[in-house]
């Protein structure tokens, strides 16, 4: 166990109704959250209990954009849903056969690759927020998003 310098930490605020990347603050807002130390790259799961703050350090991020490197997004989505500010996905019908899905933030890697298996990124191959899919896939995609705590609207 090493000492944690709290003045170097940024805390995830799941009550901000914005994308997870814009949901960071300098103080703890909720009883469960994530902390990040930008100077050393460490991430902590944080629990505030009986006026005490408990930190659990997760394994270091490899920085190689491997499958596990973006799994914090799964926790961000779950915290936002738990506190009543779920990430949104907008679905817009394009014609009788296709629909566009737009996300307020990026998906965890597993779900992102699943979306790529049944849809196409809009406008350019590296777009990770807007996809075109066949309408036949929407029920399956909606179920995956619900499991993450993401709410799909439109149709």
């Amino acid at each position: 166990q090493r000492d944690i310098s709290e003045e170097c930490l940024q805390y995830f605020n799941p009550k901000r109704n914005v994308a997870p990347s814009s949901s960071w603050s300098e103080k703890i807002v909720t009883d469960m959250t994530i902390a990040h130390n930008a100077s050393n790259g460490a991430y902590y799961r944080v629990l505030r209990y009986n006026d005490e703050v408990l930190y659990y350090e997760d394994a270091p991020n490899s920085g190689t954009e491997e499958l596990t490197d973006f799994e914090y997004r799964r926790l961000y989505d779950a915290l936002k849903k738990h506190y009543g500010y779920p990430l949104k996905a907008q679905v817009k019908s394009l014609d009788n056969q296709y629909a566009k899905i737009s996300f307020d933030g990026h998906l965890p890697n597993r779900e992102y690759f699943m979306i790529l298996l049944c849809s196409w990124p809009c406008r350019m191959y590296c777009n990770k927020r807007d996809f075109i899919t066949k309408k036949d896939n929407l029920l399956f995609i909606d179920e995956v998003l619900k499991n993450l705590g993401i709410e799909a609207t439109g149709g």
Side-chain angles (χ1 to χ4, degrees), residues 2-62:
R2 66 179 185 205
D3 290 331
I4 298 170
S5 178
E6 290 183 358
E7 62 271 358
C8 296
L9 297 178
Q10 290 282 307
Y11 296 93
F12 183 69
N13 179 355
K15 291 186 173 184
R16 293 203 61 208
N17 203 16
V18 294
S21 60
S22 300
S23 297
W24 294 88
S25 65
E26 295 189 5
K27 58 184 172 179
I28 298 174
V29 177
T30 58
D31 290 334
M32 294 181 293
T33 190
I34 303 167
H36 179 242
N37 185 332
S39 64
N40 66 12
Y43 280 88
Y44 306 91
R45 295 178 192 203
V46 181
L47 178 65
R48 186 169 50 191
Y49 182 73
N50 291 337
D51 296 327
E52 184 179 0
V53 178
L54 307 171
Y55 294 89
Y56 172 77
E57 184 174 6
D58 280 331
N61 198 346
S62 69

Side-chain angles (χ1 to χ4, degrees), residues 52-100:
E52 184 179 0
V53 178
L54 307 171
Y55 294 89
Y56 172 77
E57 184 174 6
D58 280 331
N61 198 346
S62 69
T64 59
E65 295 190 9
E66 293 177 1
L67 187 64
T68 58
D69 286 350
F70 295 104
E71 292 308 296
Y72 282 103
R73 292 181 183 151
R74 184 180 315 286
L75 191 50
Y76 300 154
D77 295 340
L79 285 168
K80 288 184 85 55
K81 174 71 174 175
H82 176 77
Y83 286 106
Y85 296 88
L87 195 66
K88 304 277 192 223
Q90 294 79 34
V91 179
K92 179 182 176 188
S93 178
L94 298 176
D95 59 26
N96 290 342
Q97 205 172 10
Y98 293 96
K100 178 180 176 183

Side-chain angles (χ1 to χ4, degrees), residues 81 85-92 99-104 107 115 133 137-155:
K81 174 71 174 175
Y85 296 88
L87 195 66
K88 304 277 192 223
Q90 294 79 34
V91 179
K92 179 182 176 188
K100 178 180 176 183
I101 305 171
S102 299
F103 297 96
D104 288 343
L107 295 170
I115 291 284
T133 189
N137 297 328
L138 288 177
L139 287 175
F140 170 69
I141 292 171
D142 187 55
E143 188 66 29
V144 169
L145 297 179
K146 283 181 185 175
N147 287 335
L148 280 174
I150 297 174
E151 291 183 2
T153 59

